[in-house]
Amino acid sequence: MVGGGEGAFIGAIHRMAAALDGDWTLAAGSFSTDQGRNRRTGDLLGLAPERVYASFEAMLATEAALPAEARIDAVAIVTPNHLHAPMAIAALNAGFHVFCEKPMAISVAEADAIAAAAQASGRRFALAFTYSGYPLIEEARARVLRGDLGAIRLVQVEYLQGWLSEPIDDAGNKQAAWRTDPARAGPGGCLGDIGTHAFQLAEHVSGLQVEAVSADLSTHVPGRRLDDDVSALLRFASGARGVLKASQVAAGEENGLRLRIHGARGGLEWAQMEPNTLTMRWLDRPAEIVRAGGPGLGAPAVRLLRTPSGHPEGYIEAFANLYRAFAAAIRGGEQRWFPGVVDGLRTMRFIEAVVSNAASDQKWTRIESGDEG
């Protein structure tokens, strides 16, 4: 692991998720440029002192020189966004698989460079779009793709948080400070942090691609350098229409990610804070409540469950599903989907299109399609 030292929220989440099914063991790390913090983190995690490296570069060089059976297999990158591309490319070029935090990079050009490195190295690249790992998201996607709802007409996704409602980024909160710093976060604040989650989920579950956006970026907290509120209209290539709302200044909200998709015959609704329930609504019959572990689930969703019906599974388990699929891909076992290069490139193109559109008087801006489709 690179990054994720003491006090860093997401590094601990990655470690828990990776360890949950026994597929991964944390063997080495460079957790912080502060060497005291780096060593303390390694000690806390029980790592051998010689495998707690003073720098990412030292970790790659030393690990690559070890015998194949002794070296690390993959690198988890849990740093601020501006380090994703250089670290991912270096790790891939050194022969290591990569599991990276989102967004993929801070520009489409950087994302393209990561994609090229992954292809050239033959190594796997995964992205932490955690919410796509929930069992009922898998069930929702399957039902949409087999045509249960009919032709898709409407896609609505919102992700509301309130934790940046006050200027905590100027008051010493490290997690807020880097996320509102263009040099470390990239061109999107709320847009890059949670807007990308909303966009990825909308495309993943609908099975459709957004071809154009009409967007507004707002910064409500005075002095903040990046957006803290996003509104976007979405035009899908299929003719469907969508709305995306993401905000980190929705005071009182916790983690309000909600997805609704409607077709010609019915619709579905899923909310991250009640993730074990999927609601199906129909034109010609009563609404249907689908529960994790309950009857009616398809085999792909069932494979993502770990406990009997009524035993709640949540964020860590969804994250672990991505790490489990990543491990299976590396081992050459049963291949399960996980978010990777395609999702990364799509979300980076979304960020650039939204930023461009919001800064112009143009009504619609196309999301360019690259080799990912």
Side-chain angles (χ1 to χ4, degrees):
M1 176 171 284
V2 57
E6 60 181 6
F9 156 72
I10 202 63
I13 296 296
H14 274 261
R15 292 189 290 266
M16 286 186 277
L20 186 60
D21 296 303
D23 289 314
W24 295 98
T25 299
L26 182 66
S30 180
F31 304 102
S32 175
T33 55
D34 178 326
Q35 292 310 308
R37 186 169 177 244
N38 188 37
R39 287 191 297 271
R40 288 192 301 272
T41 302
D43 288 344
L44 180 66
L45 297 173
L47 292 183
E50 66 273 15
R51 297 187 86 176
V52 180
Y53 295 96
S55 71
F56 173 66
E57 293 78 10
M59 182 174 75
L60 287 190
T62 304
E63 292 290 326
L66 294 174
E69 67 275 10
R71 71 173 71 110
I72 58 174
D73 297 298
V75 177
I77 299 173
V78 294
T79 64
N81 304 346
H82 70 297
L83 297 173
H84 292 180
M87 288 180 169
I89 292 167
L92 291 164
N93 289 343
F96 300 111
H97 305 283
V98 171
F99 196 114
C100 188
E101 254 306 312
K102 41 55 51 195
M104 190 174 184
I106 61 171
S107 70
V108 170
E110 283 192 351
D112 281 334
I114 294 173
Q119 183 173 22
S121 68
R123 303 292 91 181
R124 298 284 185 165
F125 179 82
L127 272 170
F129 282 113
T130 313
Y131 306 107
S132 55
Y134 276 102
L136 287 183
I137 284 296
E138 179 67 28
E139 181 68 17
R141 175 176 163 82
R143 291 182 179 222
V144 170
L145 295 187
R146 76 187 181 201
D148 288 14
L149 305 183
I152 300 304
R153 294 172 173 172
L154 307 174
V155 179
Q156 299 174 79
V157 61
E158 66 177 27
Y159 198 160
L160 303 181
Q161 297 176 340
W163 73 290
L164 289 180
S165 293
E166 296 184 332
I168 60 173
D169 36 335
D170 290 334
N173 185 304
K174 292 183 178 180
Q175 296 299 315
W178 78 256
R179 284 176 169 82
T180 57
D181 176 6
R184 290 180 286 174
C190 174
L191 174 64
D193 195 26
I194 63 173
T196 51
H197 273 303
F199 176 80
Q200 188 269 343
L201 201 66
E203 286 203 335
H204 177 64
V205 178
S206 72
L208 307 175
Q209 283 197 341
V210 178
E211 66 176 7
V213 297
S214 181
D216 181 49
L217 292 178
S218 302
T219 305
H220 291 279
V221 174
R224 184 166 284 162
R225 291 177 290 169
L226 286 174
D227 60 276
D228 50 27
D229 187 75
V230 183
S231 300
L233 299 177
L234 312 175
R235 279 185 175 174
F236 290 84
S238 64
R241 294 294 185 262
V243 178
L244 182 150
K245 178 66 186 177
S247 183
Q248 291 176 313
V249 293
E253 291 286 348
E254 296 177 73
N255 204 58
L257 175 58
R258 181 186 183 199
L259 175 69
R260 289 177 290 173
I261 298 177
H262 292 87
R265 294 197 295 270
L268 62 80
E269 180 176 345
W270 179 86
Q272 194 272 156
M273 289 179 65
E274 186 60 51
N276 297 307
T277 298
L278 175 67
T279 302
M280 308 294 299
R281 305 185 189 281
W282 308 106
L283 276 178
D284 56 356
R285 59 187 188 274
E288 172 188 357
I289 303 297
V290 181
R291 291 283 293 164
L297 292 184
V302 170
R303 283 197 296 267
L304 299 181
L305 292 164
R306 294 174 179 79
T307 60
S309 177
H311 295 75
E313 296 187 32
Y315 182 67
I316 302 298
E317 290 85 353
F319 217 134
N321 284 331
L322 305 189
Y323 266 104
R324 186 165 59 179
F326 185 49
I330 292 168
R331 289 173 174 151
E334 179 189 4
Q335 298 300 292
R336 300 181 184 179
W337 176 89
F338 58 86
V341 167
V342 171
D343 302 84
L345 288 170
R346 287 293 301 164
T347 50
M348 289 311 305
R349 296 188 198 286
F350 167 70
I351 289 173
E352 291 203 354
V354 167
V355 170
S356 173
N357 184 267
S360 75
D361 294 326
Q362 187 174 334
K363 185 174 181 180
W364 291 96
T365 298
R366 290 189 62 82
I367 297 180
E368 297 302 326
S369 237
D371 292 340
E372 77 275 11

